[in-house]
Amino acid sequence: MADQVKTIGILTSGGDAPGMNAAIRAVVRRSIGNGLTVKGIERGYQGLLNEEIIDMDKHSVSDIIERGGTILGTARCTEFRTPEGQQKGAEICRKHHIDGIVVIGGDGSYRGAQALARLGINTIGLPGTIDLDIACTDYTIGFDTAINTAMQAIDKVRDTSSSHERCSIIEVMGRNAGYIALWCGIANGAEDILLPEKYDYNEQKIIDNIINNRKHGKKHHIIINAEGIGHSTSMARRIEAATGIETRATILGYMQRGGSPTCKDRFYASIMGAYAADIIAAGKTNRVVGYRDGKFQDFDIEEALAMEKTIPEYQFEISQALSR
Ligand code: ADP
Ligand code: F6P
């Protein structure tokens, strides 16, 4: 089995995430160490379809472990969502003698990986997203950096919010997933935490909470709002009108996706990247790598994509309990 794969391709796709470079470095160096040839595919699936394919050696990944973003570039590619695009991608892999491909990306990128796997290209997925919304893993590359970046920014907003005795709505990333909001909500001691998976759109409850807290002497009121709920600016206007308390919205935006990865993201991404290289060398096919139950593991790509991820009830309950 092990001698079947001789050349692998590697690409990053979808939203970039700090730690992707550490993962690329690990895949490249470990695969070369395992006797394979490695080709980098630039700009995700778009680059695959455009045949933006480069040779990589151990030096191609020097001085990147501390850098945010991805040296391979990333993209969204509409064409790759179509059966024709996917077929073309598989043919390009064969043309370039790429008999295994490592895809580092989020849940959307995993769908693309699944399509390639179904077309006979051995595909290994690595979870690269700041959103933590991949079901088979408790950890995704970039989440730790993103929550630490957001947490520090929220602490700063809290300082000025307290000084001015204001209410602050701080919007964090997560179009469909509330994990960044949940973690920062707890870590920043927010008074209200709004998650796309849980929010009941009862704004009156928030308003009552603000008024009640003010009566009990609270100088600020921090609301962490996930991007999936959005509308932070108009929410701030309505809350100010209803409470009479100055209310400001801060949208943290893309700063959460950039920056030098934390030690945890570098470490996990390195282990996961090497793990991907090793399972390819061992002859495994169509797997995704995860960290679950305290260990690094791999799952069948079809089974992994059939899993569902939900906000842990106990964590959500505690986030509410501690905010009062
Ligand atoms: P992320 O991987 O960060 O979730 P996206 O959802 O934008 O980001 O997905 C990245 C890319 O993966 C898309 O631009 C597209 O090329 C590919 N992709 C997403 N969903 C699918 C799908 N259902 N089938 C095939 N390819 C997909
Ligand atoms: O990388 C994940 C993420 O940041 C989501 O939280 C967000 O919805 C999305 O990417 C936005 O990315 P873009 O604006 O690049 O499509």
Side-chain angles (χ1 to χ4, degrees), residues 3-306:
D3 59 356
Q4 282 181 348
V5 173
K6 291 193 170 55
T7 301
I8 63 159
I10 177 168
L11 64 81
T12 48
S13 165
D16 64 343
M20 279 183 164
N21 283 329
I24 295 168
R25 173 177 175 272
V27 171
V28 170
R29 292 205 168 155
R30 185 68 168 181
S31 295
I32 291 171
N34 288 341
L36 303 185
T37 299
V38 184
K39 295 188 183 226
I41 300 161
E42 296 177 312
R43 297 179 191 81
Y45 296 122
Q46 191 61 58
L48 176 63
L49 298 185
N50 295 342
E51 298 188 55
E52 296 177 66
I53 299 171
I54 54 169
D55 294 329
M56 295 190 90
D57 61 24
K58 288 191 175 188
H59 303 297
S60 322
V61 291
S62 297
D63 294 326
I64 65 167
I65 197 164
E66 76 285 8
R67 282 162 57 186
T70 158
I71 58 155
L72 289 173
T74 186
R76 318 268 182 195
C77 176
T78 312
E79 190 184 351
F80 203 74
R81 290 175 182 273
T82 65
E84 297 75 23
Q86 294 156 11
Q87 190 67 47
K88 186 175 163 192
E91 280 161 18
I92 290 169
C93 286
R94 289 192 189 95
K95 178 178 160 190
H96 288 265
H97 308 290
I98 292 172
D99 27 38
I101 191 162
V102 176
V103 171
I104 309 172
D107 54 343
S109 302
Y110 271 25
R111 297 278 160 206
Q114 182 184 38
L116 277 179
R118 286 177 179 170
L119 291 167
I121 304 298
N122 180 14
T123 308
I124 307 292
L126 283 180
T129 170
I130 65 163
D131 287 341
L132 195 68
D133 59 346
I134 294 184
C136 67
T137 184
D138 299 332
Y139 164 84
T140 60
I141 297 165
F143 178 71
D144 189 61
T145 306
I147 50 173
N148 278 291
T149 301
M151 182 187 75
Q152 286 165 19
I154 295 163
D155 279 345
K156 294 183 169 82
V157 176
R158 184 192 177 110
D159 288 345
T160 172
S161 199
S162 299
S163 304
H164 287 264
E165 301 187 34
R166 282 175 177 158
C167 169
S168 284
I169 304 176
I170 304 162
E171 189 172 307
V172 297
M173 271 189 156
R175 193 172 290 163
N176 304 309
Y179 295 96
I180 297 176
L182 175 70
W183 279 62
C184 288
I186 292 177
N188 291 99
E191 277 68 34
D192 276 293
I193 304 168
L194 313 183
L195 313 180
E197 297 91 338
K198 298 282 185 185
Y199 185 46
D200 58 6
Y201 289 87
N202 184 349
E203 224 166 80
Q204 190 56 47
K205 209 159 71 184
I206 301 173
I207 290 163
D208 293 345
N209 195 18
I210 295 168
I211 294 169
N212 197 34
N213 280 343
R214 195 48 66 106
K215 275 189 200 143
H216 289 91
K218 275 221 176 191
K219 287 199 168 161
H220 61 240
H221 191 103
I222 304 291
I223 301 168
I224 307 294
N225 185 30
E227 178 193 350
I229 296 165
H231 302 287
S232 297
T233 307
S234 55
M235 200 186 285
R237 273 198 299 270
R238 288 192 297 274
I239 287 175
E240 181 166 309
T243 61
I245 294 166
E246 272 190 319
T247 303
R248 298 282 194 268
T250 305
I251 297 167
L252 296 185
Y254 291 101
M255 64 175 293
Q256 294 162 96
R257 222 161 65 179
S260 179
T262 59
C263 180
K264 179 170 179 173
D265 277 332
R266 296 181 199 192
F267 179 88
Y268 277 58
S270 298
I271 302 289
M272 283 181 156
Y275 189 108
D278 284 348
I279 60 177
I280 293 174
K284 284 196 177 184
T285 55
N286 303 335
R287 312 291 293 176
V288 296
V289 178
Y291 182 82
R292 210 179 194 190
D293 303 327
K295 57 180 189 290
F296 295 96
Q297 307 185 40
D298 54 289
F299 302 87
D300 174 75
I301 198 164
E302 296 288 343
E303 283 171 21
L305 274 124

